[in-house]
Amino acid sequence: MTANLLDFDLEGLAAFCEGLGEKRFRATQLFRWIHQRGAHQFDEMSDLAKSLREKLKTTARVEGLTIISQQESKDGTIKWLFDVGNGDAVEAVFIPEDDRGTLCVSSQAGCAVGCRFCSTGHQGFSRNLTSGEIVAQLWFAEHFLRKHLKRDERIISNVVMMGMGEPLQNYSALVPALRVMLDDHGYGLSRRRVTVSTSGVVPMMDRLGQDCPVALAVSLHAPNDELRDNLVPLNRKYPLAELLDACRRYLEHAPRDFITFEYCMLDGVNDQPEHARQLVDLVRGHGQVNGGVSCKINLIPFNPFPQSGLTRSPHKQVVAFAKILSDAGIVTTVRKTRGDDIDAACGQLAGDVKDRTRVDERIARQRTVMLKSVPFSAPVAKEN
Ligand code: SAH
Ligand code: SF4
């Protein structure tokens, strides 16, 4: 079996090239061809020595994911469903905005955490994605969009690990993938523009801070342990006090000086004024946890899916909740729902996990991958 070069960060590729008796700078050239130019055939890589290209042909490959479908929302959001084999499929979503282009990337086929309000959680868990499968989502989306929009410069300026799966339960594949995203010879994204979102895997938050600090979002969803135990089962293992301690430790390494807390607004469950007041105490460090955490709070209107039995908080309730937080001096935003007409909004990514029948149905239905021109004005990738 040949090595899939999408699995390697630059260090890994250098080691692979050394194994072939090649110098390190060859790895850099190869890496740039793959990630910056989107090349997948060694013969395209014209400045690589012919002898190296021949060696690569027998030892390596650049293998992306097979696309099952591409759907485009009326707001310009694009969702891809990728086949990852054995009846599993995962999704990635491109969200264009005026000043940025964000790709939401999956880390697992399914998720083992099983949050009540999450469609991925309801699907169960099949397997971890490899580094190459995580990177392939970005590799494909970036080069597809460039070709499509006839642009040479970067289109995707931000990556959020907010697709299917719990990234910190797939740590060993996640970190090399993040390094490819950050590498100047790869996608050159700034650490502040790559966000890992976690339901709170405390030991791995510490490791991420050491190994590869990027922006961190923590899915809080409840201001006390009793409620959070119920909504995010991982809380029983890592309760709020430990989670907030881990956030504080992470901030010592983080590229941003705040943690983003995500809070999904569920009607009558976690959206009452009392919950907002508890949340203020929690992040300010009064209630059960001492110290406080420098944070922003992102309220996400719940995106319903059939089996959840939950409903979205009314807009008025969200506004009232946000007001209590901002009156207490906490920066609070309400996430704009994007792509909900194609089930691409937060928590709606279900892909297909160990469910061959549905994949087959979809393949049949959507055999023609939509390759018509993408009707949005492409965002300009800006660093901040
Ligand atoms: N497993 C990670 C990342 C993927 S989920 C995590 O939980 O953080 C990305 C975000 O979408 C999380 O904040 C998650 O709580 C939120 N989410 C999940 N289901 C949702 C739904 N139905 N509506 C709105 N947001 C949801
Ligand atoms: Fe997994 Fe995140 Fe969904 Fe919870 S919200 S089930 S951790 S993907």
Side-chain angles (χ1 to χ4, degrees), residues 108 110-122 163-166 198-199 219 221 232:
Q108 298 180 311
C111 182
V113 177
C115 301
R116 264 188 58 196
F117 49 84
C118 172
S119 175
T120 306
H122 276 249
M164 296 166 65
E166 169 48 59
T198 181
S199 54
S219 295
H221 307 310
V232 184

Side-chain angles (χ1 to χ4, degrees), residues 104-105 107-108 111 113 115-121 161-168 196-200 217-221 232 261-266 298 300-305 308 310 312 335 345-349:
C104 178
V105 169
S107 57
Q108 298 180 311
C111 182
V113 177
C115 301
R116 264 188 58 196
F117 49 84
C118 172
S119 175
T120 306
M161 296 301 306
M162 293 187 185
M164 296 166 65
E166 169 48 59
L168 295 187
V196 167
S197 177
T198 181
S199 54
V218 172
S219 295
L220 209 53
H221 307 310
V232 184
F261 287 126
E262 294 164 280
Y263 196 101
C264 179
M265 297 293 286
L266 302 163
N298 193 207
I300 316 174
F302 170 64
N303 293 308
F305 57 97
S308 73
L310 296 160
R312 177 184 286 190
R335 186 175 296 173
C346 299
Q348 291 185 321
L349 302 188

